[in-house]
Amino acid sequence: MNGSNSQFPDAPVVDAPIVDAIDRAIIVATQEGLPLVARPYHVLAEQLQLSAEEVMQRLRRMQDSGVIRRIGVVPNHYALGYRANGMSVWNVPDEQVDRLGEQVGKFDFVSHCYRRPRCLPQWPYNLFAMVHGKSRDEVEAKVEKIAGLLGEYALGHDILYSTRILKKTGLRLAGSSLKK
Amino acid sequence: MDEVDRAIINGLQGGLPVCERPYLEAAQRIGIGEEDLIARLSRLLAEGVLTRIGPLFQIERIGGAFTLAALHAPQDSFDAVVAKVNALPEVAHNYARDHKLLNMWFVLATETPEEIDNVIGRIECDTGCEVFNFPKSREYFVELKFEA
């Protein structure tokens, strides 16, 4: 019932080693955050016994290869008042989903947009777009805009609001993987 | 939170450069001093307005695997199912969501793609609930940016 990667040749290649042990050490050292000092990369370099130049070069390389999406502040969206978190899910014809998914992803209120496999018969939806708002009304107004864009290709949709965060440890690379 | 805090949150979600003094460069863009920026970032972290400051990784690029999965936990055993699901270290996030069929949605992260199936089997076995697996087939957009 699941889409396999071979079906989607542009799915992430998971076996290409594009980081080495030193990159992994940098990831482990920064995944909880950068030091809040004037020269944070120098502090990291000292911890890792590397030169600051090397740390910065490797970070830039990981940005170029997409291992690092971006470097910046990560807000807690609840603290900013974004309390309504709606996962909108859509049933879109397979031959249209890529074209439409790209367009849905361009709405500035959509934070994640993915194609995922259906699980028939219980789950007919193949396009997932996360929409955040300060209220459910705001989320619903945004979802209406997506519905307007999809038009007749929206064969069905639903919104699943999160009601409770049950766990949020984030994605952490264990320090032990340095041994690899 | 004042206007400067808002400018920091809105301007620095992707905006820390890789250079000798990244906070200095960022502060200049906002029009404040480096020390002021560092002090404000510390405060926003302490207050929980920011969860962290640093690189956002796309960990599957370095060989791990991810999936989004969901199950239906019956109302009267919901908390027990939560405890069993959360006990697994491969469960990175877990959310309760309003839905008749699938009311628990979680992200699994493992070092290899094969481990995903093992973890799903383990959850089904531990909880007695069928797990629906929704691996990403294609990514159209990911950008968690929020306006303050």
Side-chain angles (χ1 to χ4, degrees):
Chain A
M1 72 183 177
N2 303 324
S4 72
N5 280 355
S6 57
Q7 206 180 331
F8 301 101
D10 58 347
V13 178
V14 291
D15 53 3
I18 56 174
V19 300
D20 63 15
I22 298 174
D23 290 329
R24 291 177 80 98
I26 292 174
I27 293 171
V28 170
T30 56
Q31 61 190 351
E32 307 225 1
L34 278 183
L36 277 172
V37 297
R39 290 180 176 76
Y41 303 117
H42 290 64
V43 170
L44 279 174
E46 225 169 278
Q47 281 170 16
L48 298 168
Q49 298 180 308
L50 299 167
S51 71
E53 216 23 73
E54 179 165 15
V55 169
M56 291 193 277
Q57 246 174 39
R58 285 173 175 274
L59 285 168
R60 289 190 196 109
R61 203 162 59 219
M62 288 193 274
Q63 285 182 308
D64 292 343
S65 64
V67 172
I68 294 177
R69 285 186 195 276
R70 58 192 170 89
I71 302 177
V73 303
V74 183
N76 171 349
H77 57 273
Y78 283 93
L80 296 182
Y82 290 86
R83 288 169 200 283
N85 159 340
M87 183 170 76
S88 73
V89 293
W90 305 82
N91 178 5
V92 175
D94 286 335
E95 60 280 11
Q96 298 291 337
V97 66
D98 287 334
R99 179 178 69 82
L100 293 167
E102 294 288 347
Q103 291 179 27
V104 171
K106 290 198 173 85
F107 278 120
D108 59 6
F109 53 80
V110 170
S111 68
H112 298 67
C113 188
Y114 295 113
R115 176 178 176 182
R116 298 186 185 278
R118 298 181 176 88
C119 285
L120 296 172
Q122 301 100 318
W123 187 263
Y125 309 110
N126 59 339
L127 180 64
F128 288 55
M130 197 65 79
V131 177
H132 300 269
K134 299 196 173 177
S135 66
R136 290 195 177 191
D137 285 348
E138 189 185 325
V139 169
E140 266 143 46
K142 290 169 173 173
V143 167
E144 271 313 300
K145 288 189 185 172
I146 299 177
L149 172 87
L150 297 176
E152 60 178 327
Y153 294 120
L155 305 177
H157 80 277
D158 201 349
I159 309 174
L160 285 77
Y161 289 101
S162 66
T163 52
R164 201 149 49 105
I165 299 176
L166 304 171
K167 184 177 188 183
K168 192 166 187 178
T169 47
L171 305 155
R172 291 272 189 269
L173 195 66
S176 61
S177 38
L178 293 177
K179 290 183 203 124
K180 285 193 168 178
Chain B
M1 258 202 334
D2 62 14
E3 280 313 304
V4 176
D5 290 338
R6 272 183 250 282
I8 291 171
I9 293 165
N10 294 334
L12 296 191
Q13 289 179 44
L16 269 187
V18 178
C19 64
E20 185 167 350
R21 294 176 74 176
Y23 300 114
L24 177 65
E25 272 202 37
Q28 284 170 342
R29 257 189 327 213
I30 295 168
I32 60 174
E34 181 186 32
E35 280 180 30
D36 189 14
L37 176 62
I38 291 175
R40 283 171 182 271
L41 290 172
S42 308
R43 177 173 51 77
L44 292 169
L45 273 177
E47 290 172 352
V49 175
L50 299 179
T51 54
R52 58 190 284 280
I53 298 162
L56 259 114
F57 298 100
Q58 193 175 356
I59 290 192
E60 67 261 55
R61 283 283 166 92
I62 68 169
F66 282 118
T67 198
L68 175 69
L71 57 76
H72 173 76
Q75 213 64 51
D76 53 0
S77 61
F78 193 88
D79 290 342
V81 174
V82 172
K84 285 175 178 154
V85 171
N86 285 1
L88 298 175
E90 294 87 355
V91 176
H93 301 162
N94 189 6
Y95 287 88
R97 291 189 181 276
D98 258 354
H99 192 261
K100 281 197 299 273
L101 174 66
L102 299 172
N103 59 358
M104 192 183 296
W105 289 76
F106 41 92
V107 173
L108 301 178
T110 60
E111 295 255 342
T112 64
E114 301 75 48
E115 281 171 75
I116 294 281
D117 288 340
N118 297 340
V119 174
I120 286 177
R122 173 86 193 275
I123 293 173
E124 290 188 325
C125 182
D126 287 355
T127 64
C129 302
E130 182 188 357
V131 173
F132 289 71
N133 186 16
F134 299 103
K136 158 172 97 181
S137 314
R138 195 169 295 198
E139 177 178 301
Y140 303 116
F141 187 76
V142 177
E143 191 67 273
L144 263 173
K145 285 194 180 170
F146 291 99
E147 197 150 319

